[in-house]
Amino acid sequence: MRLSVAALVLLAIHRPALPSRRNLPPVLGFGVAIAGMNVIYPALGFLPLGVASALQSLGPLGGRGGDGTACA
């Protein structure tokens, strides 16, 4: 709710231009990435504390490298 109110206030102060079709894929990609990050945090509440803190502290290092091995 706080984010929605802030967005409305900023929209009232300065109306930004809509992204062009060329810039639409990166804008949608950033939106999906941020939504995905916000979905992860409530799910961490159902994991044991040790697993949840390990996943949170690994962050982007927990992904797979180019050769199929974990980075961390």
Side-chain angles (χ1 to χ4, degrees):
M1 186 151 165
R2 183 176 31 163
L3 185 61
S4 300
V5 171
L8 290 175
V9 168
L10 287 174
L11 188 61
I13 293 172
H14 174 72
R15 182 175 170 92
L18 294 175
S20 66
R21 287 200 181 267
R22 184 184 67 154
N23 293 336
L24 199 56
V27 168
L28 290 176
F30 285 133
V32 168
I34 290 174
M37 289 189 307
N38 288 332
V39 168
I40 284 289
Y41 290 116
L44 291 176
F46 294 102
L47 292 173
L49 185 59
V51 174
S53 58
L55 286 174
Q56 189 173 8
S57 62
L58 282 177
L61 297 176
R64 289 192 153 305
D67 59 351
T69 60
C71 296

